[in-house]
Amino acid sequence: MTESHTSVLVVGGGPVGLALSCLLSGQGVDHVLIESHPGTSRHPKARGVSARSMEIFRRLGLEKEVRAAGLPAEQVHFYRGRDLVDPDYIRNGLAREPDEGPEHTPSPGLICSQDALEPLLLRRATDLAGSSRIRFAARLVSFEDDGLGVQAVVEDRATARLDHLRADWLVGCDGAASTVRTGAGIAMEGPTGLGRYLSVRFEAPLKEVVADRASASYFLTAPGRGGFMAIDNDRHWIYQYPLGPDAGTDPTGHGLLADLVRTAAGIPDLDVTVHDTMTWRMDAQLAASYRRSRVLLAGDAAHVVPPTGGHGMNTGIGDADNLAWKLAAVTAGYAGEALLDTYEAERRPLARQVIDISTANAANRAGYRIDDELLLTATYRSTAVIPDPEHPGGHEVLNPSRYRPGCRPGERAPHVRLSPGPAGVTSTLDLVGPGLTLLTTDENPRWQAQAEAVRHAGIPLALRAVRTAGQQEADPGQWARLLGADHTDTALLVRPDGHIAWRGALPADSTTLPALVRRVLADG
């Protein structure tokens, strides 16, 4: 038996845990990730990667790889018909197409199935943290939280060896049946069993069948049952078949399953090869708390979201983005532990809204459209945000149709296209992180002294300008319009997750900004 220490132990190597590992490495946080399975998911599972998740992957240098692994943008449509050959089908796109109105993001969402996404995240996590810190086939046996850290017992499933691992913080990214959540004694609240479904992963030559109607999802209307999910809109597919409450009547034989696929497709002689199946249950649950002492929850361990809308995995990736920089600040010693309480204060109300929206989608018999930009509209209210006097309100409703990008504290810093800019910088989002960022309109030397005062206090902060000698907005004056009238000396303090912590004019002395930053970081 060996004993070792790490700052953060991440339990769970799905998309959320792997994203958290990448983000922690980007913040320089020593950590270990363990995953009980021997490898990444073989089943497509979650497929929709939203614009907000793509912005996070952009920051991690993964955007191009994820986009290359996904469906082509022209296939991100949603089909409704009695079967795949229904001549009276309806096909529509996202709730907001990328070319409708002003550009809100440099990184629109796409369809990339989980079995293709996870290997990309695993490779990046391993490259950043090292292979010895990313351990698959390693199971959390038990843990004890003593208030100063967590003592975990980890089993190597290949050798049955038990290791003791001491961590300052434990993050459960281990799914709806979370061992970490159970061990921490945190309850889940909300309904279960809203439906049971069988996912059938199969191969069939359907490329020519859907050539004029290629979509990401094919929802079947009565008398059809369930729906198809495209993996490549060619030979590889998932059929989602609704099950009854009695598991004893579930179809199991591959011959019967192939017949179900043929009936649903409307092609009696379709050549079908069934590869495997997975049964799942639709729940709508939220953890009573996201933190207990030294234990935190993220992803499905914290919220189980109905898949109707494609927001579950994306909400979990957003959890990781919110949590990583806070753990980094606390473990590095320039933030107080109370900063971690803002994780729940910011993310749990958002998850509540996402669950409610997704549950309403599930009950909508007329169908629903996918809101790729839903999570761009998140606004945080916590002690890690210093509100403007004119915007002191509480959490705002997620609503892409009413989204008006701005520079208000709590909001995600808006995307403005930059040109020409240095290599790799084409958006204001590219100016943010990995530490805090002080974002000004122009290069103003008076802000330099303010930034230096913050850095002198031991807090990482970069000073960036939207307009420089070699860079400006592609739409001249756009940044000033977003800031509002007469804000020539206004700067934004932007957190590493891209959300605005403070907006204000140039302070009169060099002590004001460090004090504001310490307030955001719960330091003192």
Side-chain angles (χ1 to χ4, degrees):
M1 182 179 294
T2 62
E3 294 188 5
S4 56
H5 175 268
T6 188
S7 293
V8 180
L9 172 60
V10 179
V11 179
V16 176
L18 291 170
L20 179 59
S21 173
C22 293
L23 291 160
L24 288 172
S25 290
Q27 296 283 343
V29 178
D30 176 67
H31 66 282
V32 171
L33 180 147
I34 61 172
E35 164 58 49
S36 62
H37 290 96
T40 56
S41 175
R42 295 186 304 168
H43 202 86
K45 295 183 181 178
R47 300 183 311 141
V49 184
S50 74
R52 187 61 181 133
S53 294
M54 288 302 289
E55 289 180 354
I56 295 167
F57 293 155
R58 178 188 184 92
R59 228 185 300 137
L60 292 172
L62 277 172
E63 181 182 9
K64 289 183 180 179
E65 291 180 67
V66 174
R67 207 167 289 286
L71 284 181
E74 62 270 18
Q75 294 182 9
V76 183
H77 284 78
F78 304 92
Y79 170 102
R80 285 179 175 80
R82 293 185 299 273
D83 50 39
L84 295 184
V85 294
D86 185 353
D88 300 319
Y89 71 90
I90 297 172
R91 180 173 177 262
N92 55 33
L94 298 170
R96 182 187 184 276
E97 295 291 349
D99 57 354
E100 290 181 15
E103 182 184 54
H104 292 163
T105 178
S107 306
L110 76 158
I111 300 296
C112 180
S113 59
Q114 191 169 332
D115 58 327
L117 176 63
E118 283 189 9
L120 301 178
L121 287 168
L122 174 58
R123 184 162 58 247
R124 181 54 54 88
T126 303
D127 287 346
L128 292 171
S131 57
S132 65
R133 314 301 276 176
I134 308 296
R135 297 177 53 188
F136 273 57
R139 180 177 70 93
L140 179 67
V141 176
S142 63
F143 68 88
E144 182 179 349
D145 179 353
D146 60 17
L148 298 175
V150 175
Q151 186 74 34
V153 178
V154 178
E155 178 190 38
D156 184 313
R157 301 192 71 173
T159 64
R161 187 187 74 235
L162 296 179
D163 297 327
H164 280 186
L165 180 60
R166 177 77 179 178
D168 299 326
W169 301 95
L170 169 64
V171 185
C173 303
D174 51 342
S178 172
T179 298
V180 173
R181 187 186 64 238
T182 300
I186 299 175
M188 290 291 273
E189 302 168 349
T192 61
L194 300 177
R196 289 180 65 245
Y197 296 84
L198 179 68
S199 289
V200 182
R201 186 167 68 94
F202 71 95
E203 193 171 342
L206 287 168
K207 180 177 181 179
E208 297 304 320
V209 173
V210 302
D212 65 340
R213 59 193 70 187
S215 301
S217 297
Y218 300 78
F219 300 104
L220 302 185
T221 57
R225 299 192 67 190
F228 292 91
M229 301 193 311
I231 303 306
D232 61 6
N233 264 317
D234 185 2
R235 297 195 60 86
H236 299 281
W237 301 82
I238 293 289
Y239 174 47
Q240 300 279 23
Y241 177 73
L243 297 170
D246 182 7
T249 63
D250 292 352
T252 54
H254 280 203
L256 177 57
L257 294 171
D259 285 340
L260 286 176
V261 169
R262 295 185 185 102
T263 299
I267 308 173
D269 60 348
L270 181 66
D271 180 16
V272 177
T273 301
V274 174
H275 291 302
D276 56 41
T277 63
M278 181 181 72
T279 302
W280 57 277
R281 187 181 72 186
M282 185 185 295
D283 297 339
Q285 292 201 297
L286 183 62
S289 173
Y290 277 26
R291 177 189 176 192
R292 180 154 296 173
S293 185
R294 292 276 172 161
V295 179
L296 301 114
L297 305 176
D300 286 359
H303 43 74
V304 182
V305 181
T308 39
H311 301 306
M313 177 182 70
N314 294 298
T315 303
I317 291 170
D319 293 342
D321 194 31
N322 186 287
L323 182 57
W325 75 269
K326 295 175 181 178
L327 282 168
V330 171
T331 57
Y334 60 84
E337 289 184 11
L339 179 64
L340 293 173
D341 292 330
T342 69
Y343 168 59
E344 176 179 325
E346 294 178 350
R347 296 300 299 178
R348 192 172 183 275
L350 182 143
R352 175 74 273 163
Q353 288 193 57
V354 171
I355 290 171
D356 291 345
I357 290 168
S358 302
T359 303
N361 285 342
N364 188 347
R365 294 185 179 277
Y368 56 90
R369 298 181 72 183
I370 304 298
D371 287 321
D372 177 50
E373 297 186 356
L374 179 76
L375 298 176
L376 298 183
T377 70
T379 300
Y380 295 150
R381 294 288 181 259
S382 76
T383 56
V385 173
I386 301 174
D388 280 347
E390 63 266 34
H391 298 102
H395 290 271
E396 297 184 16
V397 175
L398 295 170
N399 190 340
S401 66
R402 290 173 22 198
Y403 180 44
R404 300 293 182 271
C407 296
R408 294 171 290 272
E411 296 179 341
R412 157 191 162 275
H415 157 64
V416 170
R417 184 68 63 179
L418 299 177
S419 177
V425 177
T426 59
S427 164
T428 46
L429 303 189
D430 300 327
L431 302 175
V432 174
L436 295 168
T437 302
L438 190 61
L439 192 57
T440 62
T441 302
D442 299 292
E443 293 180 301
N444 185 335
R446 291 182 297 170
W447 279 109
Q448 186 66 48
Q450 299 289 333
E452 288 292 344
V454 174
R455 289 193 284 262
H456 185 72
I459 300 169
L461 181 139
L463 179 62
R464 301 280 187 266
V466 173
R467 293 198 295 256
T468 68
Q471 166 189 296
Q472 60 185 355
E473 306 110 307
D475 176 10
Q478 184 181 2
W479 185 255
R481 292 194 296 273
L482 290 168
L483 274 177
D486 194 26
H487 283 296
T488 55
D489 277 344
T490 295
L492 304 180
L493 178 66
V494 185
R495 309 177 337 178
D497 62 1
H499 281 258
I500 300 166
W502 170 80
R503 175 177 71 172
L506 187 71
D509 62 73
S510 61
T511 64
T512 301
L513 187 61
L516 288 167
V517 172
R518 284 194 294 269
R519 177 177 162 190
V520 167
L521 297 174
D523 182 22

